[in-house]
C-alpha cells in the first residue's frame, strides 16, 4: 500500500533553499512590494478545525499591511477560530520558465467600523463615509499583517539568484 512521505514533500523547498543564492533583503523587499502593487486581487485562505476557505478577493496594500473589505462569508468562520491566514497573488501560468507568484503568511484581525484606521482605508478606496453609513451594516474590514513572504520569479535566475526567495518579516 502506498504511503506518501508528507515530511519529505513539505521540506522540498526548504532543502533547495539551502543551496540557493539569496537576494539582499532590501532588494527582495523592493521586488515583493512592486509585485503586490502591480496587482489588486488575491486568494485569501482561512481555516478552522473542520473547514478551509480560499476566497478570491480584492486587496488594498497600505502601510505594509493587506486590507480586505467584505460583506461577509465563510472566511469569517475560519477567522473566528484561527487568526493565521495565507494569501496568494500570482500571474497566469505560462510555463516553467515564466513563473511569478507571491505567497504571504500573516496574522489577521478585524478593524472596528468607522475607527481611524477604518476611515483611512475608506479614504484610500475613495468610499464616501455617508454611503457606508447608509448600508444596513458597515462592511467588515480584515487587516492582515504579513509574517513571511515566498516570492517566486523565474526571471531572478537571469541575475544569478534562486527563482524562489523567502523573507521573514
Amino acid at each position: 500500500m502506498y504511503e506518501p512521505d508528507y515530511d519529505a514533500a513539505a521540506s522540498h523547498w526548504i532543502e533547495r533553499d539551502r543551496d540557493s543564492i539569496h537576494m539582499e533583503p532590501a532588494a527582495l523587499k523592493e521586488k515583493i512590494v512592486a509585485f503586490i502593487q502591480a496587482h489588486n486581487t488575491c486568494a485569501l485562505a482561512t481555516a478552522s478545525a473542520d473547514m478551509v476557505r480560499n476566497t478570491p478577493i480584492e486587496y488594498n496594500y497600505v502601510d505594509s499591511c493587506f486590507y480586505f473589505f467584505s460583506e461577509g462569508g465563510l472566511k469569517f468562520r475560519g477567522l473566528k477560530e484561527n487568526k493565521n491566514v495565507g494569501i496568494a497573488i500570482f500571474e497566469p501560468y505560462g510555463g516553467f520558465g515564466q513563473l511569478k507568484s507571491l505567497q504571504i503568511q500573516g496574522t489577521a484581525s478585524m478593524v472596528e467600523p468607522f475607527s481611524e484606521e477604518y476611515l483611512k482605508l475608506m479614504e484610500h478606496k475613495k468610499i464616501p463615509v455617508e454611503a457606508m453609513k447608509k448600508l444596513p451594516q458597515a462592511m467588515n474590514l480584515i487587516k492582515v499583517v504579513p509574517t513571511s513572504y515566498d516570492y517566486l520569479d523565474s526571471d531572478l535566475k537571469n541575475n544569478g539568484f534562486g527563482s524562489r526567495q523567502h523573507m521573514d518579516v
Side-chain angles (χ1 to χ4, degrees), residues 4-151:
D5 189 343
Y6 290 104
D7 294 329
S11 67
H12 174 80
W13 282 107
I14 295 168
E15 298 296 325
R16 287 200 50 193
D17 278 354
R18 286 195 180 116
D19 298 326
S20 178
I21 298 171
H22 299 276
M23 297 177 70
E24 290 296 321
L28 176 56
K29 180 70 174 178
E30 189 176 303
K31 284 264 191 203
I32 288 169
V33 169
F35 189 80
I36 292 167
Q37 291 174 339
H39 298 80
N40 69 352
T41 307
C42 68
L44 172 66
T46 61
S48 64
D50 64 344
M51 180 208 73
V52 175
R53 189 70 172 180
N54 198 351
T55 305
I57 189 168
E58 179 189 17
Y59 64 83
N60 297 278
Y61 186 69
V62 177
D63 297 332
S64 300
C65 295
F66 291 86
Y67 290 89
F68 308 90
F69 277 105
S70 174
E71 293 176 293
L74 288 175
K75 64 187 153 291
F76 292 95
R77 191 167 126 206
L79 290 173
K80 181 179 178 183
E81 289 183 33
N82 184 355
K83 304 303 181 209
N84 298 302
V85 300
I87 298 170
I89 306 168
F90 48 91
E91 295 285 329
Y93 180 74
F96 280 118
Q98 301 171 16
L99 301 174
K100 278 197 180 177
S101 66
L102 180 64
Q103 294 179 64
I104 302 110
Q105 296 295 310
T107 305
S109 62
M110 299 297 295
V111 177
E112 182 180 340
F114 303 106
S115 65
E116 186 177 324
E117 186 174 20
Y118 191 95
L119 293 172
K120 179 180 177 178
L121 264 293
M122 286 181 58
E123 183 178 326
H124 177 80
K125 294 228 6 114
K126 299 178 178 25
I127 300 171
V129 174
E130 292 309 312
M132 186 70 80
K133 287 185 175 180
K134 287 181 183 177
L135 295 175
Q137 87 178 45
M139 297 274 282
N140 297 293
L141 180 58
I142 303 165
K143 175 183 182 179
V144 174
V145 177
T147 56
S148 71
Y149 296 98
D150 287 298
Y151 181 59

Side-chain angles (χ1 to χ4, degrees), residues 20-24 27-28 31 100 151 153-163 165:
S20 178
I21 298 171
H22 299 276
M23 297 177 70
E24 290 296 321
L28 176 56
K31 284 264 191 203
K100 278 197 180 177
Y151 181 59
D153 184 345
S154 298
D155 293 340
L156 293 177
K157 288 181 178 179
N158 298 335
N159 297 320
F161 299 111
S163 59
Q165 300 285 318

